[in-house]
Amino acid sequence: MTQISPASELSKLKTIKTKSLYPLPLRFYGGQLLTLVLLAAVFSWLSRDEGLDRLMTGYWFDAASQHFPLKDNALLDLINHRLAKYLIIALAACTLLYGAYRRNARLVTAALLMGLGALVVGALKAVSHHSCPWDLLEYGGDAVSYPLFGAVPADSGPGRCFPGGHSSSGFMVMGLFFAFWRERPRLAWSMVAVGVVLGLVMGYGQVMRGAHFFSHNLWAGWWVWFSQVVAYGLISTWFAKK
C-alpha cells in the first residue's frame, strides 16, 4: 500500500529542493582547507629567495638598456591589461544584474564573490611594502627587494605590488563555481579552471612588462579563492538558518 506523506513533510521537501542558495558539504570545505594549506606551503617555498621570480622576470629584462622592452607595449597593454580586465568586470556586472532580475540568489552571490576576491587582493596590495620589478635596483629602479617573509628594508621603494592586482581580475572568475555546483558540477569546476587560466595568463602578461613577479600572481589566486570559499561558507550558513 502506498503511504501518503503528511502535507507538512511535503512542504519541507519542496522548500529544500527550491532553496536558491545552498550550503556546501563539510567535505568540500575540508578538501579546500587542505588544498589551500598545501598551496600556501608550496608558494612560500617558491617565494623564499625569489629565485624563480628572477629567472622568469630576467627573460623579459634587457640588461644592456636597463629596462623592460615590453613595459609600454601598446598591444600587450591594450589586450591584457585593459581589455581582458574590462571584459571580466563586465561579466561580473552582467551576472549581478541578471541574477537580481531573475531573483537568483546563486548568481547574485557568485557575482559578489567575484568582486570580493579582487577587493581582498587590492586591499592587501595597498598595504604591501614589496615594490614592482621595474622599481627595483636590479631592473633599473631605485628600490631594494626582499623575500616574502624577510625584513622590510628602509629603502623598499613605493611598494603596493603584492599580491598581483591585475591577475586577480582573472582569478575572480572562480567565484562562478558557487552558482553552478549543485545542478552542474562539471560546469562549476570548469569555472574554477577558467579562472585559474585567466589569472595566470593575465598575470604573466604583467611579468613580461616588469609589473609583477610570478609569485605575486600565485598568491593573488590563493587569496581570491580563500576569500570566496570563506565568504560563501558564512553566507550560505546564515541563509540556511533563515
Side-chain angles (χ1 to χ4, degrees):
M1 177 181 293
T2 304
Q3 186 174 8
I4 301 176
S5 299
S8 60
E9 293 184 10
L10 292 176
S11 177
K12 290 180 180 179
L13 289 174
K14 183 178 180 181
T15 301
I16 293 172
K17 290 180 179 179
T18 59
K19 185 177 291 185
S20 57
L21 196 64
Y22 47 79
L24 296 174
L26 288 178
R27 66 176 181 275
F28 169 82
Y29 294 105
Q32 294 311 303
L33 176 61
L34 177 60
T35 300
L36 285 165
V37 169
L38 291 176
L39 286 177
V42 172
F43 295 167
S44 297
W45 183 81
L46 292 175
S47 306
R48 71 194 187 285
D49 60 1
E50 300 182 320
L52 176 63
D53 285 333
R54 295 182 183 282
L55 177 64
M56 299 182 72
T57 296
Y59 184 80
W60 303 102
F61 179 69
D62 182 11
S65 61
Q66 286 291 291
H67 84 293
F68 290 92
L70 296 178
K71 179 180 180 180
D72 300 311
N73 182 272
L75 190 60
L76 188 60
D77 179 66
L78 174 64
I79 296 177
N80 180 69
H81 193 238
R82 299 178 187 275
L83 187 59
K85 178 173 67 176
Y86 296 153
L87 287 175
I88 294 173
I89 293 175
L91 171 64
C94 290
T95 301
L96 178 62
L97 293 174
Y98 183 73
Y101 172 73
R102 300 289 296 182
R103 297 184 180 180
N104 187 320
R106 299 177 193 176
L107 289 176
V108 171
T109 302
L112 294 177
L113 291 177
M114 291 174 72
L116 174 66
L119 181 64
V120 168
V121 170
L124 292 171
K125 180 181 176 183
V127 299
S128 170
H129 292 285
H130 288 274
S131 293
C132 301
W134 58 33
D135 291 320
L136 300 178
L137 280 170
E138 50 267 58
Y139 300 113
D142 302 313
V144 175
S145 65
Y146 65 99
L148 178 60
F149 299 111
V152 181
D155 46 356
S156 60
R160 297 186 296 277
C161 200
F162 176 87
H166 182 64
S167 61
S168 69
S169 299
F171 287 123
M172 74 182 197
V173 173
M174 294 188 293
L176 290 174
F177 167 87
F178 301 96
F180 305 113
W181 180 81
R182 173 167 288 180
E183 283 79 14
R184 306 181 67 182
R186 289 186 180 179
L187 177 61
W189 286 112
S190 294
M191 292 298 99
V192 174
V194 169
V196 170
V197 171
L198 284 174
L200 291 177
V201 170
M202 293 171 68
Y204 193 74
Q206 291 295 81
V207 172
M208 294 167 67
R209 298 178 65 231
H212 280 291
F213 281 133
F214 185 68
S215 67
H216 294 183
N217 303 315
L218 295 178
W219 280 108
W222 191 94
W223 278 107
V224 167
W225 185 240
F226 172 78
S227 63
Q228 290 175 341
V229 170
V230 171
Y232 186 83
L234 294 175
I235 293 171
S236 61
T237 299
W238 176 83
F239 188 88
K241 294 179 180 179
K242 296 286 287 182

